[in-house]
Amino acid sequence: QSAFALPRPQAKIAVLRSNPAAIHLGFSDTPAKRDFYNQRLTGAYDLLRNQHYAVDFISDRQLAKKLDDYELMMIPSHSILTEKDLEIVSKYHREGGKIMAFANCFAKNELFKDLDKLPGFLGLDKRQVAPWNRGQMRLVEVDPRLNAYFRTELIVQAPERVNPGPMGKLIPGYIPKTDMKNTWLVGNQDAYPSMVLSTDGQVVYCAFDSLYD
C-alpha cells in the first residue's frame, strides 16, 4: 500500500486549457452545444490519465511561467491562443518541447476570426475536412513501431486530411509514406494518414477530434 501513500509525482505532461476557447465555445442555450470545448479539453486529459500518466492542466495565462516545466504539451481540438501566446508555444517547440495536437486547434484567434495561416510549429502545410464529409473514421493501419499500442481498429470523430495530395493517386490499403512532408504514424480507412510526426520528431498531429470516450 505504500505506493498509494506516496506524493503525486511531478507531471511532465500538460494539457492546454484555452480560456478564449472556453468563452467562445463553452456556453450555449442549446444543450447539445453546451460545453463544446470543455468536452474536448477533458477528452484530451482523460486520454492520458486513463493510461496512468501524471497530467496537469495549464491555462493560456500560465504559459509564460510554467510551460517550460513540461516535456510534452497536449493541445485539444478547437483551442485558441493569442498571437503572443502562440509565440510562447513556438519558443517552447524551438527549445525542444514536444507537442501533441488535435484537429481544428488554432483555427481561430481570440476574437473568433479565422487565422490566416497555421502556426509553424504544427508542421502542417494545409489541413481540410475529410473527403465525403465523413463524421467518423476508422484507423486501420499503423507504423510497425506502434503495433503494441493499437490492438484493434479505432473509431475517431470529425476527421481531417492534412498536407493533402491528389486523391486520385490513393489506393485503399496503401499509405504514401515517402510522398509526405511528415512521417505517417497511423493510416485510416480511406488510405491516407490520420496521425503524422513532424520532420523534427517533436510534434504528433492527430487529424481527428480530441473528443474521447
Side-chain angles (χ1 to χ4, degrees):
Q1 296 293 323
S2 61
F4 295 100
L6 292 174
R8 178 182 182 272
Q10 172 62 45
K12 296 297 183 182
I13 304 173
V15 175
L16 172 66
R17 185 187 187 281
S18 164
N19 285 300
I23 291 170
H24 286 294
L25 299 167
F27 305 96
S28 174
D29 293 332
T30 305
K33 296 181 179 179
R34 197 170 298 151
D35 290 328
F36 181 89
Y37 171 69
N38 286 334
Q39 290 175 3
R40 281 134 183 94
L41 172 68
T42 56
Y45 178 83
D46 289 345
L47 184 66
L48 293 170
R49 284 293 295 139
N50 287 351
Q51 303 303 317
H52 309 293
Y53 289 102
V55 188
D56 290 340
F57 286 116
I58 184 171
S59 77
D60 48 296
R61 298 176 184 177
Q62 298 173 305
L63 290 175
K65 292 184 178 180
K66 295 190 65 176
L67 184 55
D68 289 341
D69 294 340
Y70 300 96
E71 295 178 8
L72 171 67
M73 179 186 189
M74 180 174 270
I75 303 171
S77 293
H78 301 284
S79 294
I80 296 171
L81 289 179
T82 64
E83 186 175 343
K84 180 179 178 181
D85 287 336
L86 284 172
E87 179 51 40
I88 292 172
V89 178
S90 181
K91 178 175 179 290
Y92 167 79
H93 171 254
R94 290 196 301 270
E95 294 177 353
K98 295 179 173 61
I99 294 170
M100 186 173 187
F102 287 84
N104 276 308
C105 66
F106 306 139
K108 304 281 187 180
N109 65 16
E110 70 276 17
L111 301 178
F112 213 62
K113 297 183 181 299
D114 292 341
L115 285 182
D116 295 333
K117 60 180 180 178
L118 293 170
F121 57 79
L122 290 180
L124 304 178
D125 293 328
K126 185 179 180 182
R127 61 185 178 185
Q128 61 190 33
V129 296
W132 311 293
N133 292 318
R134 291 194 188 277
Q136 295 182 328
M137 186 72 77
R138 286 184 296 115
L139 307 185
V140 298
E141 184 179 358
V142 299
D143 183 301
R145 294 170 294 177
L146 301 179
N147 281 337
Y149 305 101
F150 285 79
R151 300 185 183 279
T152 184
E153 292 183 1
L154 301 175
I155 303 294
V156 294
Q157 311 296 321
E160 290 179 332
R161 190 156 177 251
V162 297
N163 297 341
M167 282 296 290
K169 293 185 177 180
L170 295 179
I171 302 172
Y174 168 70
I175 305 295
K177 306 173 182 61
T178 59
D179 297 334
M180 292 191 58
K181 176 182 177 182
N182 296 348
T183 302
W184 79 278
L185 295 177
V186 179
N188 60 48
Q189 68 192 60
D190 288 336
Y192 60 85
S194 282
M195 293 178 68
V196 295
L197 179 68
S198 61
T199 52
D200 59 18
Q202 291 175 226
V203 181
V204 171
Y205 187 82
C206 304
F208 47 83
D209 205 299
S210 61
L211 192 64
Y212 170 69
D213 56 11

